[in-house]
Amino acid sequence: MKVLAINGSPHANGNTACALEAAAEALHAEGIETEILHIGHKLIHGCTACEQCHTLGKCVFDNDPVNEAAEKMAQADGILLASPVYYAGIAGTMKSFLDRVFYTRGSSFRHKVGASIAVVRRSGGTATLQGLNWYLSIGEMILPTGQYWAVVHGRKPGEARLDLEGMQTMRTLGKNMAWTLKLVEAGKETLPGPKPEEKEIMSFIR
């Protein structure tokens, strides 16, 4: 089994990477392969709501990592999202990435295991974590947790490792994610998942 971890920080070796690495080490110890994909430093266009992806099966903008990453996410058994906190929310590049990935390929993630991590200097961690989890929940994903909210504190690169409770939470999240992945895999043969219904889309403008 494999987890694809998305680093939404512009800094490949910053505190967001530290948090992801701690969770990835716990996953690896449980026999789960993990790949960390760094997208936070890329130029990623925001969604324009053109809806051409409904016809194309992928985003119309094909000059950035979104379509390639979406395909890798669709092939993975689990997805781990991590973002630094900017103005009490998801970093802009990560937000643009997630908007387009989940709009074009969200149904591909149904019943996969997904988890989120927020990395913050001071405030806005739980708000950012909640924002990341909105994507996982609308994708009908299964969300494991740690023993505390998955928020790690640090400012200068490497300071996250000094947040001992945060690092413990990352390890616990990794272990719980591995266990959930194994449960899902073991249950596929004995208990098939519910069949999806065709979505009802409503506008409340009368």
Side-chain angles (χ1 to χ4, degrees):
M1 287 180 284
K2 181 175 180 177
V3 167
L4 185 66
I6 309 296
N7 181 356
S9 170
H11 306 290
N13 299 305
N15 287 312
T16 304
C18 289
L20 276 176
E21 287 162 5
E25 286 172 9
L27 283 160
H28 181 73
E30 296 294 328
I32 308 295
E33 180 186 353
T34 307
E35 177 185 353
I36 297 178
L37 184 63
H38 181 217
I39 60 93
H41 64 303
K42 302 287 188 179
L43 293 175
I44 296 180
H45 202 294
C47 180
T48 62
C50 69
E51 299 192 1
Q52 292 190 53
C53 56
H54 295 170
T55 302
L56 299 173
K58 63 177 184 177
C59 184
V60 68
F61 298 114
D62 210 11
N63 58 347
D64 62 26
V66 167
N67 286 325
E68 182 180 356
E71 182 59 32
K72 294 184 81 168
M73 292 165 72
Q75 296 301 318
D77 301 289
I79 297 169
L80 184 56
L81 306 177
S83 176
V85 176
Y86 286 1
Y87 285 87
I90 301 169
T93 299
M94 183 65 157
K95 180 73 166 60
S96 293
F97 173 84
L98 293 173
D99 283 350
R100 288 170 54 203
V101 165
F102 276 82
Y103 197 61
T104 58
R105 296 297 298 272
S107 61
S108 301
F109 311 140
R110 186 173 185 265
H111 295 168
K112 291 183 184 292
V113 177
S116 300
I117 297 168
V119 181
V120 62
R121 180 189 71 84
R122 186 171 176 86
S123 297
T126 53
T128 301
L129 185 66
Q130 184 181 46
L132 293 169
N133 282 339
W134 291 139
Y135 293 96
L136 304 180
S137 62
I138 201 170
E140 295 186 66
M141 299 182 72
I142 300 164
L143 279 63
T145 61
Q147 88 279 13
Y148 204 80
W149 296 292
V151 178
V152 179
H153 289 77
R155 182 181 183 185
K156 295 179 181 178
E159 280 186 349
R161 295 189 183 94
L162 303 178
D163 179 2
L164 300 183
E165 186 174 3
M167 289 292 100
Q168 183 182 58
T169 301
M170 295 301 99
R171 293 193 300 272
T172 306
L173 178 65
K175 292 174 185 177
N176 288 347
M177 190 173 191
W179 182 65
T180 307
L181 282 160
K182 292 173 184 178
L183 283 176
V184 171
E185 186 64 26
K188 284 179 179 177
E189 294 183 4
T190 57
L191 187 63
K195 292 182 179 180
E197 293 187 18
E198 185 176 347
K199 283 191 176 181
E200 298 283 357
I201 307 296
M202 291 186 66
S203 170
F204 292 93
I205 299 173
R206 303 294 183 186

